Amino acid sequence: MVVGAGHAGLAASHFLSARSIDHVVLERGEVANSWRRERWDSLRLLTPNWQSRLPGHRYGGPDPDGYMTMDEVVEFIEGFAKVSEAPVRTGVNVTSVRRAGDGYDVTTSHDRIHARTVVIASGACNRPAVPGFAGAVPPSPAQLTPFDYHGPDELPDGGVLVVGASATGVQLAAELRRSGRPVTLAAGEHVRLPRTYRGRDVLWWMDASGVWEQRYDEVDDLDRARSLPSPQLVGTPDRTTLDLNALTSMGVELVGRWAALRDGEALFSGGLRNVAALGDLKMKRLLATFDEWARPHDLDATVGERFAPTRVPEPARLRLDLRSGEIRTIVWATGYRPDYGWLDVPVVDSKGRLRHDGGVVDSPGLYALGLPVLRRRKSTFIHGIEDDAREVVDHLASHLAERR
Ligand SMILES: Cc1cc2nc3c(=O)[nH]c(=O)nc-3n(C[C@H](O)[C@H](O)[C@H](O)COP(=O)(O)OP(=O)(O)OC[C@H]3O[C@@H](n4cnc5c(N)ncnc54)[C@H](O)[C@@H]3O)c2cc1C
């Protein structure tokens, strides 16, 4: 049994079918539900179209260098479900999975199923991750997460504090600033990337140079790799770079990480300069890796372009009175987390993370797909699922064969 009909669950289904393993994919909503229900209106993929590839199914349209809108992503994933003839049951919520005999008893909103193996493909981003002190913020400003946010028209006029400077935070800060609102962005540790490097999409370099292929068992600090924020990228037709400098040029005010809340005041870390310098340094190192890779591959031996260091306000504000009316809305772009509330098997650690080794969960016959750096650095991306799903299903098949 596969939980979830996003691209990960469908990829699992593809390889299960290829091995003639009887299975069903249970989906509480519709195919590609997260892209339909949990994303904002203007979002486009930050991965280019040519990179949208699933087992036996790839983008074949006229704009390989473009970035899909949400409708296009849904169509692409639905197309995959159709060509792979995935046995999906939609509108079926899995409410409990518990160990029973040689497998698992699965309770759903409709019935009960006994499955010898279960693949958890329920997503890594089921809920927004919001810091505990959000509950103590004064009643005004309003608070939103990316799950409630659809577009700037739904927000009250006035200032917005966007918390978090990963892909979601920078994209929402830019959109809100363009709507004419004053925007403050609280930036902690972040991953800075230019949209293009040496004339190609930066993700082309990630792909070609093999950075994305690095396996989970070769990564020095796996916990850290698994909790890295998403890169500051946006997919726009004009391939703009959306780093902190771009936001500053648009008039967004940068402050440090929101560290605490005291007497109705947001207190920001004084480390903005340091995290910005670290982001610059890591970007430089990554671009140098691309340069090194380019040389023996006969790709223009000259060194690529260099990017100006991140500009940081001097001094950056350290506090902001949330009762003053300056900020009318807080947008928490502080990350996402999975939801395993339905999983009655003791395989989730105190931080809410699934205990697994490359997708082989710490309970026989239980597997996972679609989590950060599950088996490779590319694991959570659409193009990253094929290799992971093949290998996880290989393991699942040998588990079944052993039991037989
Ligand atoms: C804002 C955002 C932007 C992203 N942009 C990109 C991008 O540009 N390129 C890229 O490659 N990746 C991107 N990703 C990462 C990744 O591709 C997506 O998160 C993708 O949706 C993950 O696919 P999935 O199949 O693992 O999970 P999901 O797509 O979340 O699918 C999980 C499915 O499981 C279902 N489900 C969950 N719990 C249950 C249950 N108990 N019972 C039944 N069904 C259940 C859900 O309804 C859902 O349909 C982005 C992620 C986010 C959050």
Side-chain angles (χ1 to χ4, degrees), residues 3-8 26-28 33-35 39-40 43 45-47 92-94 121-123 125 336 342 370 380-382:
V3 188
H7 75 260
L26 301 184
E27 167 54 55
R28 62 184 171 190
N33 208 51
S34 307
W35 299 106
R39 315 278 196 252
W40 57 98
L43 180 65
L45 289 190
L46 52 79
T47 42
V92 179
N93 191 19
V94 174
S122 51
C125 303
Y336 304 91
W342 47 272
T380 30
F381 291 92
I382 291 171

PDB file of all heavy atoms in Angstrom, residues 3-8 26-28 33-35 39-40 43 45-47 92-94 121-123 125 336 342 370 380-382, ligand 1:
ATOM      1  N   VAL A   3       0.906   5.359   0.547  1.00  0.00           N
ATOM      2  CA  VAL A   3       0.135   6.496   1.079  1.00  0.00           C
ATOM      3  C   VAL A   3       0.538   7.753   0.320  1.00  0.00           C
ATOM      4  O   VAL A   3       1.677   8.212   0.444  1.00  0.00           O
ATOM      5  CB  VAL A   3       0.415   6.727   2.586  1.00  0.00           C
ATOM      6  CG1 VAL A   3      -0.555   7.775   3.147  1.00  0.00           C
ATOM      7  CG2 VAL A   3       0.316   5.442   3.371  1.00  0.00           C
ATOM      8  N   GLY A   4      -0.377   8.303  -0.469  1.00  0.00           N
ATOM      9  CA  GLY A   4      -0.131   9.582  -1.127  1.00  0.00           C
ATOM     10  C   GLY A   4       0.088   9.459  -2.633  1.00  0.00           C
ATOM     11  O   GLY A   4       0.907   8.661  -3.088  1.00  0.00           O
ATOM     12  N   ALA A   5      -0.669  10.255  -3.384  1.00  0.00           N
ATOM     13  CA  ALA A   5      -0.525  10.270  -4.849  1.00  0.00           C
ATOM     14  C   ALA A   5       0.042  11.597  -5.317  1.00  0.00           C
ATOM     15  O   ALA A   5      -0.511  12.269  -6.187  1.00  0.00           O
ATOM     16  CB  ALA A   5      -1.860   9.975  -5.527  1.00  0.00           C
ATOM     17  N   GLY A   6       1.158  11.993  -4.695  1.00  0.00           N
ATOM     18  CA  GLY A   6       1.995  13.033  -5.280  1.00  0.00           C
ATOM     19  C   GLY A   6       2.955  12.325  -6.225  1.00  0.00           C
ATOM     20  O   GLY A   6       2.805  11.112  -6.481  1.00  0.00           O
ATOM     21  N   HIS A   7       3.969  13.038  -6.723  1.00  0.00           N
ATOM     22  CA  HIS A   7       4.848  12.375  -7.688  1.00  0.00           C
ATOM     23  C   HIS A   7       5.609  11.204  -7.056  1.00  0.00           C
ATOM     24  O   HIS A   7       5.909  10.220  -7.722  1.00  0.00           O
ATOM     25  CB  HIS A   7       5.792  13.379  -8.365  1.00  0.00           C
ATOM     26  CG  HIS A   7       6.918  13.848  -7.503  1.00  0.00           C
ATOM     27  ND1 HIS A   7       6.903  15.061  -6.847  1.00  0.00           N
ATOM     28  CD2 HIS A   7       8.092  13.255  -7.180  1.00  0.00           C
ATOM     29  CE1 HIS A   7       8.031  15.177  -6.164  1.00  0.00           C
ATOM     30  NE2 HIS A   7       8.769  14.107  -6.352  1.00  0.00           N
ATOM     31  N   ALA A   8       5.867  11.288  -5.726  1.00  0.00           N
ATOM     32  CA  ALA A   8       6.639  10.222  -5.069  1.00  0.00           C
ATOM     33  C   ALA A   8       5.835   8.926  -4.997  1.00  0.00           C
ATOM     34  O   ALA A   8       6.339   7.849  -5.347  1.00  0.00           O
ATOM     35  CB  ALA A   8       7.073  10.676  -3.677  1.00  0.00           C
ATOM     36  N   LEU A  26      -3.292   5.145  -1.972  1.00  0.00           N
ATOM     37  CA  LEU A  26      -4.416   5.816  -1.302  1.00  0.00           C
ATOM     38  C   LEU A  26      -4.112   7.311  -1.171  1.00  0.00           C
ATOM     39  O   LEU A  26      -3.051   7.688  -0.685  1.00  0.00           O
ATOM     40  CB  LEU A  26      -4.645   5.206   0.086  1.00  0.00           C
ATOM     41  CG  LEU A  26      -4.943   3.698   0.092  1.00  0.00           C
ATOM     42  CD1 LEU A  26      -5.251   3.220   1.509  1.00  0.00           C
ATOM     43  CD2 LEU A  26      -6.105   3.358  -0.839  1.00  0.00           C
ATOM     44  N   GLU A  27      -5.043   8.122  -1.604  1.00  0.00           N
ATOM     45  CA  GLU A  27      -4.836   9.581  -1.626  1.00  0.00           C
ATOM     46  C   GLU A  27      -6.054  10.249  -0.993  1.00  0.00           C
ATOM     47  O   GLU A  27      -7.176  10.049  -1.442  1.00  0.00           O
ATOM     48  CB  GLU A  27      -4.644  10.037  -3.089  1.00  0.00           C
ATOM     49  CG  GLU A  27      -4.732  11.530  -3.317  1.00  0.00           C
ATOM     50  CD  GLU A  27      -3.779  12.356  -2.437  1.00  0.00           C
ATOM     51  OE1 GLU A  27      -2.581  12.080  -2.466  1.00  0.00           O
ATOM     52  OE2 GLU A  27      -4.267  13.269  -1.727  1.00  0.00           O
ATOM     53  N   ARG A  28      -5.781  11.063   0.024  1.00  0.00           N
ATOM     54  CA  ARG A  28      -6.910  11.684   0.738  1.00  0.00           C
ATOM     55  C   ARG A  28      -7.634  12.730  -0.111  1.00  0.00           C
ATOM     56  O   ARG A  28      -8.810  12.986   0.062  1.00  0.00           O
ATOM     57  CB  ARG A  28      -6.439  12.325   2.037  1.00  0.00           C
ATOM     58  CG  ARG A  28      -5.440  13.426   1.825  1.00  0.00           C
ATOM     59  CD  ARG A  28      -4.919  13.976   3.126  1.00  0.00           C
ATOM     60  NE  ARG A  28      -3.821  14.887   2.868  1.00  0.00           N
ATOM     61  CZ  ARG A  28      -3.042  15.390   3.790  1.00  0.00           C
ATOM     62  NH1 ARG A  28      -3.236  15.070   5.045  1.00  0.00           N
ATOM     63  NH2 ARG A  28      -2.075  16.212   3.476  1.00  0.00           N
ATOM     64  N   ASN A  33      -2.362  16.504  -4.996  1.00  0.00           N
ATOM     65  CA  ASN A  33      -3.166  17.319  -4.082  1.00  0.00           C
ATOM     66  C   ASN A  33      -2.407  18.513  -3.490  1.00  0.00           C
ATOM     67  O   ASN A  33      -2.956  19.605  -3.379  1.00  0.00           O
ATOM     68  CB  ASN A  33      -3.665  16.428  -2.947  1.00  0.00           C
ATOM     69  CG  ASN A  33      -4.955  16.924  -2.366  1.00  0.00           C
ATOM     70  OD1 ASN A  33      -5.890  17.175  -3.119  1.00  0.00           O
ATOM     71  ND2 ASN A  33      -4.996  17.098  -1.067  1.00  0.00           N
ATOM     72  N   SER A  34      -1.159  18.314  -3.124  1.00  0.00           N
ATOM     73  CA  SER A  34      -0.416  19.411  -2.490  1.00  0.00           C
ATOM     74  C   SER A  34      -0.285  20.591  -3.444  1.00  0.00           C
ATOM     75  O   SER A  34      -0.376  21.747  -3.027  1.00  0.00           O
ATOM     76  CB  SER A  34       0.985  18.954  -2.088  1.00  0.00           C
ATOM     77  OG  SER A  34       0.900  17.803  -1.309  1.00  0.00           O
ATOM     78  N   TRP A  35      -0.034  20.292  -4.718  1.00  0.00           N
ATOM     79  CA  TRP A  35       0.127  21.379  -5.694  1.00  0.00           C
ATOM     80  C   TRP A  35      -1.201  22.080  -5.948  1.00  0.00           C
ATOM     81  O   TRP A  35      -1.239  23.264  -6.283  1.00  0.00           O
ATOM     82  CB  TRP A  35       0.678  20.836  -7.021  1.00  0.00           C
ATOM     83  CG  TRP A  35       2.029  20.201  -6.896  1.00  0.00           C
ATOM     84  CD1 TRP A  35       2.302  18.869  -6.935  1.00  0.00           C
ATOM     85  CD2 TRP A  35       3.301  20.859  -6.722  1.00  0.00           C
ATOM     86  NE1 TRP A  35       3.659  18.656  -6.803  1.00  0.00           N
ATOM     87  CE2 TRP A  35       4.290  19.853  -6.666  1.00  0.00           C
ATOM     88  CE3 TRP A  35       3.697  22.200  -6.607  1.00  0.00           C
ATOM     89  CZ2 TRP A  35       5.650  20.130  -6.504  1.00  0.00           C
ATOM     90  CZ3 TRP A  35       5.041  22.472  -6.443  1.00  0.00           C
ATOM     91  CH2 TRP A  35       6.001  21.446  -6.389  1.00  0.00           C
ATOM     92  N   ARG A  39      -0.450  25.496  -2.217  1.00  0.00           N
ATOM     93  CA  ARG A  39       0.528  26.444  -2.747  1.00  0.00           C
ATOM     94  C   ARG A  39      -0.177  27.752  -3.111  1.00  0.00           C
ATOM     95  O   ARG A  39      -1.375  27.749  -3.349  1.00  0.00           O
ATOM     96  CB  ARG A  39       1.198  25.880  -3.997  1.00  0.00           C
ATOM     97  CG  ARG A  39       1.629  24.418  -3.891  1.00  0.00           C
ATOM     98  CD  ARG A  39       2.961  24.247  -3.196  1.00  0.00           C
ATOM     99  NE  ARG A  39       3.503  22.932  -3.437  1.00  0.00           N
ATOM    100  CZ  ARG A  39       3.583  21.954  -2.537  1.00  0.00           C
ATOM    101  NH1 ARG A  39       3.169  22.143  -1.300  1.00  0.00           N
ATOM    102  NH2 ARG A  39       4.101  20.786  -2.853  1.00  0.00           N
ATOM    103  N   TRP A  40       0.580  28.834  -3.199  1.00  0.00           N
ATOM    104  CA  TRP A  40      -0.025  30.126  -3.517  1.00  0.00           C
ATOM    105  C   TRP A  40      -0.205  30.264  -5.036  1.00  0.00           C
ATOM    106  O   TRP A  40       0.390  29.521  -5.822  1.00  0.00           O
ATOM    107  CB  TRP A  40       0.780  31.270  -2.918  1.00  0.00           C
ATOM    108  CG  TRP A  40       2.225  31.330  -3.330  1.00  0.00           C
ATOM    109  CD1 TRP A  40       2.762  32.111  -4.310  1.00  0.00           C
ATOM    110  CD2 TRP A  40       3.326  30.593  -2.748  1.00  0.00           C
ATOM    111  NE1 TRP A  40       4.121  31.907  -4.378  1.00  0.00           N
ATOM    112  CE2 TRP A  40       4.503  30.977  -3.439  1.00  0.00           C
ATOM    113  CE3 TRP A  40       3.430  29.647  -1.728  1.00  0.00           C
ATOM    114  CZ2 TRP A  40       5.752  30.455  -3.132  1.00  0.00           C
ATOM    115  CZ3 TRP A  40       4.686  29.120  -1.432  1.00  0.00           C
ATOM    116  CH2 TRP A  40       5.822  29.529  -2.127  1.00  0.00           C
ATOM    117  N   LEU A  43       2.723  30.877  -7.705  1.00  0.00           N
ATOM    118  CA  LEU A  43       3.915  30.009  -7.644  1.00  0.00           C
ATOM    119  C   LEU A  43       4.167  29.312  -8.978  1.00  0.00           C
ATOM    120  O   LEU A  43       3.246  28.845  -9.637  1.00  0.00           O
ATOM    121  CB  LEU A  43       3.736  28.954  -6.539  1.00  0.00           C
ATOM    122  CG  LEU A  43       4.907  27.969  -6.364  1.00  0.00           C
ATOM    123  CD1 LEU A  43       6.169  28.676  -5.885  1.00  0.00           C
ATOM    124  CD2 LEU A  43       4.545  26.843  -5.389  1.00  0.00           C
ATOM    125  N   LEU A  45       7.238  26.445 -10.528  1.00  0.00           N
ATOM    126  CA  LEU A  45       8.366  25.621 -10.097  1.00  0.00           C
ATOM    127  C   LEU A  45       9.635  26.448 -10.184  1.00  0.00           C
ATOM    128  O   LEU A  45       9.757  27.331 -11.041  1.00  0.00           O
ATOM    129  CB  LEU A  45       8.519  24.392 -10.994  1.00  0.00           C
ATOM    130  CG  LEU A  45       7.475  23.292 -10.876  1.00  0.00           C
ATOM    131  CD1 LEU A  45       7.943  22.073 -11.672  1.00  0.00           C
ATOM    132  CD2 LEU A  45       7.211  22.901  -9.435  1.00  0.00           C
ATOM    133  N   LEU A  46      10.585  26.180  -9.306  1.00  0.00           N
ATOM    134  CA  LEU A  46      11.892  26.830  -9.442  1.00  0.00           C
ATOM    135  C   LEU A  46      12.837  25.944 -10.236  1.00  0.00           C
ATOM    136  O   LEU A  46      13.932  26.336 -10.587  1.00  0.00           O
ATOM    137  CB  LEU A  46      12.461  27.225  -8.073  1.00  0.00           C
ATOM    138  CG  LEU A  46      12.549  26.211  -6.948  1.00  0.00           C
ATOM    139  CD1 LEU A  46      13.731  25.295  -7.131  1.00  0.00           C
ATOM    140  CD2 LEU A  46      12.668  26.932  -5.612  1.00  0.00           C
ATOM    141  N   THR A  47      12.410  24.730 -10.521  1.00  0.00           N
ATOM    142  CA  THR A  47      13.194  23.838 -11.389  1.00  0.00           C
ATOM    143  C   THR A  47      12.687  24.018 -12.824  1.00  0.00           C
ATOM    144  O   THR A  47      11.473  24.070 -13.049  1.00  0.00           O
ATOM    145  CB  THR A  47      13.009  22.372 -10.946  1.00  0.00           C
ATOM    146  OG1 THR A  47      11.626  22.155 -10.633  1.00  0.00           O
ATOM    147  CG2 THR A  47      13.825  22.075  -9.707  1.00  0.00           C
ATOM    148  N   VAL A  92      -9.475   9.042  -0.200  1.00  0.00           N
ATOM    149  CA  VAL A  92      -9.353   8.035   0.869  1.00  0.00           C
ATOM    150  C   VAL A  92      -8.235   8.471   1.812  1.00  0.00           C
ATOM    151  O   VAL A  92      -7.062   8.497   1.440  1.00  0.00           O
ATOM    152  CB  VAL A  92      -9.027   6.638   0.276  1.00  0.00           C
ATOM    153  CG1 VAL A  92      -8.869   5.615   1.398  1.00  0.00           C
ATOM    154  CG2 VAL A  92     -10.116   6.199  -0.700  1.00  0.00           C
ATOM    155  N   ASN A  93      -8.639   8.826   3.024  1.00  0.00           N
ATOM    156  CA  ASN A  93      -7.667   9.312   4.001  1.00  0.00           C
ATOM    157  C   ASN A  93      -7.155   8.141   4.832  1.00  0.00           C
ATOM    158  O   ASN A  93      -7.960   7.376   5.374  1.00  0.00           O
ATOM    159  CB  ASN A  93      -8.380  10.342   4.898  1.00  0.00           C
ATOM    160  CG  ASN A  93      -7.426  11.101   5.775  1.00  0.00           C
ATOM    161  OD1 ASN A  93      -6.224  11.138   5.513  1.00  0.00           O
ATOM    162  ND2 ASN A  93      -7.942  11.678   6.841  1.00  0.00           N
ATOM    163  N   VAL A  94      -5.863   7.999   4.919  1.00  0.00           N
ATOM    164  CA  VAL A  94      -5.303   6.952   5.776  1.00  0.00           C
ATOM    165  C   VAL A  94      -5.264   7.512   7.201  1.00  0.00           C
ATOM    166  O   VAL A  94      -4.598   8.521   7.458  1.00  0.00           O
ATOM    167  CB  VAL A  94      -3.894   6.545   5.309  1.00  0.00           C
ATOM    168  CG1 VAL A  94      -3.255   5.565   6.282  1.00  0.00           C
ATOM    169  CG2 VAL A  94      -3.962   5.950   3.904  1.00  0.00           C
ATOM    170  N   ALA A 121       4.490   7.900   1.231  1.00  0.00           N
ATOM    171  CA  ALA A 121       4.821   8.937   0.241  1.00  0.00           C
ATOM    172  C   ALA A 121       3.865  10.101   0.467  1.00  0.00           C
ATOM    173  O   ALA A 121       3.321  10.682  -0.466  1.00  0.00           O
ATOM    174  CB  ALA A 121       4.700   8.380  -1.175  1.00  0.00           C
ATOM    175  N   SER A 122       3.673  10.406   1.742  1.00  0.00           N
ATOM    176  CA  SER A 122       2.654  11.391   2.118  1.00  0.00           C
ATOM    177  C   SER A 122       3.193  12.814   2.123  1.00  0.00           C
ATOM    178  O   SER A 122       2.479  13.746   2.473  1.00  0.00           O
ATOM    179  CB  SER A 122       2.086  11.032   3.496  1.00  0.00           C
ATOM    180  OG  SER A 122       3.143  10.842   4.415  1.00  0.00           O
ATOM    181  N   GLY A 123       4.461  12.991   1.728  1.00  0.00           N
ATOM    182  CA  GLY A 123       4.993  14.342   1.573  1.00  0.00           C
ATOM    183  C   GLY A 123       5.831  14.794   2.756  1.00  0.00           C
ATOM    184  O   GLY A 123       5.645  14.323   3.890  1.00  0.00           O
ATOM    185  N   CYS A 125       6.117  18.137   3.304  1.00  0.00           N
ATOM    186  CA  CYS A 125       5.681  19.521   3.564  1.00  0.00           C
ATOM    187  C   CYS A 125       4.184  19.572   3.837  1.00  0.00           C
ATOM    188  O   CYS A 125       3.448  20.325   3.210  1.00  0.00           O
ATOM    189  CB  CYS A 125       6.011  20.402   2.350  1.00  0.00           C
ATOM    190  SG  CYS A 125       7.732  20.405   1.886  1.00  0.00           S
ATOM    191  N   TYR A 336       8.581  23.902   6.411  1.00  0.00           N
ATOM    192  CA  TYR A 336       7.466  22.953   6.374  1.00  0.00           C
ATOM    193  C   TYR A 336       7.886  21.700   7.122  1.00  0.00           C
ATOM    194  O   TYR A 336       9.070  21.429   7.282  1.00  0.00           O
ATOM    195  CB  TYR A 336       7.148  22.582   4.926  1.00  0.00           C
ATOM    196  CG  TYR A 336       6.843  23.765   4.037  1.00  0.00           C
ATOM    197  CD1 TYR A 336       7.855  24.402   3.323  1.00  0.00           C
ATOM    198  CD2 TYR A 336       5.540  24.242   3.911  1.00  0.00           C
ATOM    199  CE1 TYR A 336       7.577  25.486   2.507  1.00  0.00           C
ATOM    200  CE2 TYR A 336       5.252  25.331   3.089  1.00  0.00           C
ATOM    201  CZ  TYR A 336       6.281  25.951   2.390  1.00  0.00           C
ATOM    202  OH  TYR A 336       6.007  27.013   1.591  1.00  0.00           O
ATOM    203  N   TRP A 342      -1.008   9.938  11.633  1.00  0.00           N
ATOM    204  CA  TRP A 342      -1.766   8.711  11.323  1.00  0.00           C
ATOM    205  C   TRP A 342      -0.914   7.435  11.453  1.00  0.00           C
ATOM    206  O   TRP A 342      -1.411   6.339  11.277  1.00  0.00           O
ATOM    207  CB  TRP A 342      -2.309   8.804   9.893  1.00  0.00           C
ATOM    208  CG  TRP A 342      -1.251   9.260   8.918  1.00  0.00           C
ATOM    209  CD1 TRP A 342      -0.935  10.546   8.596  1.00  0.00           C
ATOM    210  CD2 TRP A 342      -0.331   8.444   8.203  1.00  0.00           C
ATOM    211  NE1 TRP A 342       0.115  10.587   7.714  1.00  0.00           N
ATOM    212  CE2 TRP A 342       0.497   9.298   7.448  1.00  0.00           C
ATOM    213  CE3 TRP A 342      -0.130   7.064   8.108  1.00  0.00           C
ATOM    214  CZ2 TRP A 342       1.525   8.827   6.636  1.00  0.00           C
ATOM    215  CZ3 TRP A 342       0.884   6.586   7.291  1.00  0.00           C
ATOM    216  CH2 TRP A 342       1.693   7.472   6.561  1.00  0.00           C
ATOM    217  N   GLY A 370      10.454  10.627  -0.880  1.00  0.00           N
ATOM    218  CA  GLY A 370      10.124  12.046  -0.996  1.00  0.00           C
ATOM    219  C   GLY A 370      10.611  12.909   0.159  1.00  0.00           C
ATOM    220  O   GLY A 370      10.212  14.063   0.275  1.00  0.00           O
ATOM    221  N   THR A 380      14.132  15.271  -2.816  1.00  0.00           N
ATOM    222  CA  THR A 380      12.786  15.863  -2.688  1.00  0.00           C
ATOM    223  C   THR A 380      12.315  16.517  -3.971  1.00  0.00           C
ATOM    224  O   THR A 380      11.185  16.982  -4.031  1.00  0.00           O
ATOM    225  CB  THR A 380      12.712  16.993  -1.636  1.00  0.00           C
ATOM    226  OG1 THR A 380      13.948  17.636  -1.565  1.00  0.00           O
ATOM    227  CG2 THR A 380      12.217  16.521  -0.309  1.00  0.00           C
ATOM    228  N   PHE A 381      13.203  16.614  -4.949  1.00  0.00           N
ATOM    229  CA  PHE A 381      12.785  17.279  -6.187  1.00  0.00           C
ATOM    230  C   PHE A 381      12.113  16.274  -7.125  1.00  0.00           C
ATOM    231  O   PHE A 381      12.354  15.062  -7.032  1.00  0.00           O
ATOM    232  CB  PHE A 381      14.001  17.918  -6.873  1.00  0.00           C
ATOM    233  CG  PHE A 381      14.533  19.087  -6.105  1.00  0.00           C
ATOM    234  CD1 PHE A 381      15.532  18.918  -5.157  1.00  0.00           C
ATOM    235  CD2 PHE A 381      14.016  20.361  -6.300  1.00  0.00           C
ATOM    236  CE1 PHE A 381      16.021  19.997  -4.433  1.00  0.00           C
ATOM    237  CE2 PHE A 381      14.492  21.444  -5.579  1.00  0.00           C
ATOM    238  CZ  PHE A 381      15.504  21.263  -4.637  1.00  0.00           C
ATOM    239  N   ILE A 382      11.309  16.815  -8.033  1.00  0.00           N
ATOM    240  CA  ILE A 382      10.558  15.945  -8.940  1.00  0.00           C
ATOM    241  C   ILE A 382      11.520  15.021  -9.697  1.00  0.00           C
ATOM    242  O   ILE A 382      11.315  13.812  -9.769  1.00  0.00           O
ATOM    243  CB  ILE A 382       9.710  16.808  -9.903  1.00  0.00           C
ATOM    244  CG1 ILE A 382       8.592  17.500  -9.103  1.00  0.00           C
ATOM    245  CG2 ILE A 382       9.142  15.976 -11.046  1.00  0.00           C
ATOM    246  CD1 ILE A 382       7.799  18.551  -9.861  1.00  0.00           C
TER     247      ILE A 382
HETATM  248  C1  LIG B   1       6.415  25.713  -1.969  1.00  0.00           C
HETATM  249  C2  LIG B   1       7.102  24.528  -2.577  1.00  0.00           C
HETATM  250  C3  LIG B   1       7.716  24.663  -3.820  1.00  0.00           C
HETATM  251  C4  LIG B   1       8.380  23.579  -4.394  1.00  0.00           C
HETATM  252  N1  LIG B   1       8.962  23.734  -5.615  1.00  0.00           N
HETATM  253  C5  LIG B   1       9.570  22.696  -6.198  1.00  0.00           C
HETATM  254  C6  LIG B   1      10.134  22.815  -7.505  1.00  0.00           C
HETATM  255  O1  LIG B   1      10.166  23.886  -8.083  1.00  0.00           O
HETATM  256  N2  LIG B   1      10.696  21.725  -8.076  1.00  0.00           N
HETATM  257  C7  LIG B   1      10.723  20.521  -7.441  1.00  0.00           C
HETATM  258  O2  LIG B   1      11.230  19.549  -8.028  1.00  0.00           O
HETATM  259  N3  LIG B   1      10.230  20.385  -6.202  1.00  0.00           N
HETATM  260  C8  LIG B   1       9.649  21.433  -5.571  1.00  0.00           C
HETATM  261  N4  LIG B   1       9.129  21.288  -4.300  1.00  0.00           N
HETATM  262  C9  LIG B   1       9.427  20.050  -3.563  1.00  0.00           C
HETATM  263  C10 LIG B   1       8.572  18.830  -3.910  1.00  0.00           C
HETATM  264  O3  LIG B   1       8.643  18.518  -5.267  1.00  0.00           O
HETATM  265  C11 LIG B   1       7.139  18.977  -3.504  1.00  0.00           C
HETATM  266  O4  LIG B   1       7.075  19.201  -2.116  1.00  0.00           O
HETATM  267  C12 LIG B   1       6.307  17.753  -3.865  1.00  0.00           C
HETATM  268  O5  LIG B   1       4.934  18.064  -3.668  1.00  0.00           O
HETATM  269  C13 LIG B   1       6.664  16.527  -3.049  1.00  0.00           C
HETATM  270  O6  LIG B   1       6.069  15.409  -3.640  1.00  0.00           O
HETATM  271  P1  LIG B   1       5.624  14.169  -2.783  1.00  0.00           P
HETATM  272  O7  LIG B   1       4.936  13.220  -3.702  1.00  0.00           O
HETATM  273  O8  LIG B   1       6.774  13.676  -1.978  1.00  0.00           O
HETATM  274  O9  LIG B   1       4.600  14.788  -1.729  1.00  0.00           O
HETATM  275  P2  LIG B   1       3.234  15.530  -1.996  1.00  0.00           P
HETATM  276  O10 LIG B   1       3.175  16.125  -3.345  1.00  0.00           O
HETATM  277  O11 LIG B   1       2.970  16.376  -0.819  1.00  0.00           O
HETATM  278  O12 LIG B   1       2.215  14.299  -2.012  1.00  0.00           O
HETATM  279  C14 LIG B   1       1.818  13.644  -0.849  1.00  0.00           C
HETATM  280  C15 LIG B   1       0.383  13.231  -1.018  1.00  0.00           C
HETATM  281  O13 LIG B   1       0.008  12.446   0.091  1.00  0.00           O
HETATM  282  C16 LIG B   1      -1.306  12.747   0.456  1.00  0.00           C
HETATM  283  N5  LIG B   1      -1.468  12.366   1.850  1.00  0.00           N
HETATM  284  C17 LIG B   1      -0.802  12.857   2.925  1.00  0.00           C
HETATM  285  N6  LIG B   1      -1.221  12.245   4.054  1.00  0.00           N
HETATM  286  C18 LIG B   1      -2.156  11.328   3.674  1.00  0.00           C
HETATM  287  C19 LIG B   1      -2.968  10.392   4.381  1.00  0.00           C
HETATM  288  N7  LIG B   1      -2.878  10.251   5.713  1.00  0.00           N
HETATM  289  N8  LIG B   1      -3.835   9.613   3.674  1.00  0.00           N
HETATM  290  C20 LIG B   1      -3.933   9.728   2.311  1.00  0.00           C
HETATM  291  N9  LIG B   1      -3.203  10.615   1.611  1.00  0.00           N
HETATM  292  C21 LIG B   1      -2.321  11.400   2.272  1.00  0.00           C
HETATM  293  C22 LIG B   1      -1.408  14.253   0.205  1.00  0.00           C
HETATM  294  O14 LIG B   1      -2.749  14.666   0.017  1.00  0.00           O
HETATM  295  C23 LIG B   1      -0.558  14.419  -1.059  1.00  0.00           C
HETATM  296  O15 LIG B   1      -1.318  14.362  -2.240  1.00  0.00           O
HETATM  297  C24 LIG B   1       8.452  22.346  -3.707  1.00  0.00           C
HETATM  298  C25 LIG B   1       7.851  22.230  -2.450  1.00  0.00           C
HETATM  299  C26 LIG B   1       7.178  23.309  -1.899  1.00  0.00           C
HETATM  300  C27 LIG B   1       6.547  23.148  -0.538  1.00  0.00           C
END
